[in-house]
Amino acid sequence: MSGPADALVAEVMTTGTLTGLPQGHYIGGRFVPGLSGNTMESFDPGRGRAFARFAAGDAADVDAAVAAARTALCGPWRQMGPAERGRILARAASLLRERAARFAVVESLDSGKRLTEAEGDLRGVARAFEYYAGAADKLHGDSLPLGRNYVGFTTEEPIGVAAQIIPWNYPLSTVARGIAPALAAGCTVVAKPAEQTPFTALMLAELLHEAGLPDGVLNVVTGTGAQAGAPLVAHPGIDHITFTGSVATGTAVMRAAAQHVTRLVLELGGKSPLVVLADCDMDAAVNGVIEAIYENAGQICSAGSRLVLDRAIAVAFMSRLTTRVKGLRIGHGLTNPDLGPVNSLRQLETIDGHVRRAVAAGNRVYAGAAIAKPEAGGSGWFYEPTIIEARGADDPLVQEEIFGPVLAVQIVDGADEALAAANATSYALVAGIYSKNITDALRFARDVDAGQVFINEWFAGGIEVPFGGNRKSGFGREKGMAGLRSYCKLKSVVARI
Ligand code: ADP
């Protein structure tokens, strides 16, 4: 191993934790202890052991954070022009690049993801701040053609206080893709990271204040969904919610938002199809499948969790894919294996439950299908990279999001059947196709129901590309200029002259 993360990784590996982790909530421009004094543990998924404690916030902490955000909305933040807001975000981007190693190690330790993935996340997070830094002073309205006797125009105003409810799979990336556009638009923010992964959001809040953010503009309250998340989304002092998480919790959040008619963006689950047609570049497609389902141990809402494979190449393709998958090395995220642990014991049991039901139903298993015990894994939470063939379109393996390293295979005959299979779940987040025939690929892109379509590279794109789903995958868009508009309210002004 070599590089700036080395000393930090060595510290974790020898002591089981890291010194200097943030303590308390971040409210009003500083770290403050939780009002109840209660704390809870965060776990290293690679060892299955707690490595630090953090504040278990509740409604009182949420009240304090929302009050700070509301006050900040009317303070120096309001007076600051868009260009100055952009400069703060740009400074944050360069500070993130300077401190990427520490952020990445904490992210890997807290979530379990491989360090190289966490380092990639950090590059993406810095890009998000850079992108929205450049967008802050380009957010303009339209002039409206009403004839000679009127002047009409629209303006994009900040929506107000934006709440961010963050999941545990991409703790920093998800909070950043919400915070950066919210701040660029002139909003203030209260973020609630997942109770499994609280630390990098707190570190980001501190860094943004160092970059020049006025007090109270960004607040982070840690704690459980029930104790801290629920009072935040039901709070009358917030104007918008961005929620990323499960369909069940998203439904509860939508219900809570309805009480005060609070606007929201919901980014929920997926069961995204990765279509491989007979004329594909097979090496690229095998690599694509492996990345699509084993990156972050499959705990990605936009994972390619269904391989929709053309029968004409099925035998050869499955043979290559299975050989590669059986060779994947499992280990602690900070040791940079091919596959890290899953985030929690609960998640491990959920994954195992899905797979056991499929195996009991007689589905063909190509690889994995068991809890893994890597030599150096100790008591960590690992699952073998798994490939299972589905039994028809109604198979729970096809319909249910597993959120783990489990690939469902659906064999089809040709492009039309592939499209029908792709569209036959209640989710519609992303979809992908591998084919050298650009007409087939673009027809698939036209006809598939998805918020984003990848052609010949799963996860192609970056912060520039709007992201979000349809149907049970949610609604609204993050990232890109569409993501910026999610934090704005449009005002139309017409003058008679
Ligand atoms: P998971 O079940 O995998 O933990 P969730 O969708 O429940 O996924 O969690 C995503 C985020 O939503 C987390 O930050 C969690 O604390 C939060 N959360 C859970 N329940 C609620 C709720 N009722 N209201 C608001 N946030 C919640």
Side-chain angles (χ1 to χ4, degrees), residues 200-398:
T200 46
L202 292 164
M203 290 163 64
L204 180 65
E206 188 181 32
L207 178 143
L208 271 155
H209 280 79
E210 199 179 325
L213 207 62
D215 293 349
V217 173
L218 170 59
N219 308 276
V220 178
V221 176
T222 57
T224 65
Q227 296 290 311
L232 177 58
V233 296
H235 204 292
I238 59 164
D239 304 294
H240 169 96
I241 301 163
T242 298
F243 171 82
T244 306
S246 63
V247 177
T249 306
T251 309
V253 168
M254 200 170 168
R255 211 173 282 127
Q259 287 175 63
H260 304 294
V261 197
T262 308
R263 262 175 48 166
L264 75 167
V265 168
L266 290 182
E267 208 270 89
L268 308 178
K271 192 76 194 186
S272 300
L274 189 162
V275 170
V276 175
L277 296 186
D279 67 349
C280 71
D281 171 337
M282 230 195 261
D283 287 336
V286 167
N287 287 337
V289 171
I290 289 173
E291 202 178 331
I293 188 61
Y294 302 121
E295 178 95 2
N296 204 24
Q299 304 163 114
I300 311 184
C301 38
S302 55
S305 51
R306 290 190 290 140
L307 167 61
V308 179
L309 178 60
D310 203 323
R311 193 181 310 277
I313 56 163
V315 172
F317 192 88
M318 289 311 297
S319 152
R320 276 204 216 183
L321 180 65
T322 306
T323 306
R324 283 277 304 280
V325 169
K326 286 187 170 165
L328 295 178
R329 207 170 31 90
I330 303 174
H332 193 286
L334 285 172
T335 66
N336 272 328
D338 298 319
L339 191 78
V342 299
N343 176 260
S344 65
L345 182 58
R346 189 190 64 168
Q347 193 57 24
L348 187 69
E349 287 168 350
T350 302
I351 296 165
D352 196 42
H354 282 282
V355 172
R356 276 172 188 270
R357 284 190 289 279
V359 171
N363 292 51
R364 174 175 177 185
V365 174
Y366 288 88
I371 289 174
K373 287 266 168 250
E375 268 172 37
S379 48
W381 304 312
F382 297 92
Y383 204 81
E384 285 183 5
T386 297
I387 308 176
I388 308 182
E389 191 165 326
R391 293 165 298 106
D394 295 336
D395 192 332
L397 206 61
V398 169

Side-chain angles (χ1 to χ4, degrees), residues 60-253:
D61 303 297
V62 167
D63 278 345
V66 173
R70 286 228 77 81
T71 305
L73 208 52
C74 311
W77 189 234
R78 190 182 195 145
Q79 308 307 325
M80 218 179 256
E84 181 54 24
R85 291 203 298 270
R87 273 195 288 273
I88 293 172
L89 298 186
R91 276 197 292 275
S94 48
L95 284 174
L96 277 160
R97 289 198 170 105
E98 277 169 29
R99 296 180 199 166
R102 185 172 178 83
F103 271 87
V105 170
V106 175
E107 190 79 331
S108 170
L109 174 62
D110 212 3
S111 69
K113 69 176 61 194
R114 298 182 306 137
L115 181 59
T116 46
E117 288 181 33
E119 287 165 348
D121 291 356
L122 257 295
R123 286 192 290 279
V125 166
R127 265 295 293 144
F129 280 94
E130 190 171 68
Y131 177 83
Y132 289 110
D137 58 0
K138 294 162 195 79
L139 183 62
H140 47 69
D142 295 320
S143 71
L144 307 171
L146 295 169
R148 282 179 52 75
N149 297 330
Y150 298 91
V151 172
F153 59 92
T154 63
T155 56
E156 296 277 10
E157 298 180 349
I159 182 105
V161 178
Q164 305 276 336
I165 304 284
I166 305 301
W168 44 260
N169 59 335
Y170 280 83
L172 188 63
S173 304
T174 312
V175 84
R177 79 179 181 208
I179 287 172
L183 298 182
C187 293
T188 62
V189 175
V190 179
K192 208 295 284 173
E195 53 271 41
Q196 295 86 349
T197 52
F199 291 111
T200 46
L202 292 164
M203 290 163 64
L204 180 65
E206 188 181 32
L207 178 143
L208 271 155
H209 280 79
E210 199 179 325
L213 207 62
D215 293 349
V217 173
L218 170 59
N219 308 276
V220 178
V221 176
T222 57
T224 65
Q227 296 290 311
L232 177 58
V233 296
H235 204 292
I238 59 164
D239 304 294
H240 169 96
I241 301 163
T242 298
F243 171 82
T244 306
S246 63
V247 177
T249 306
T251 309
V253 168

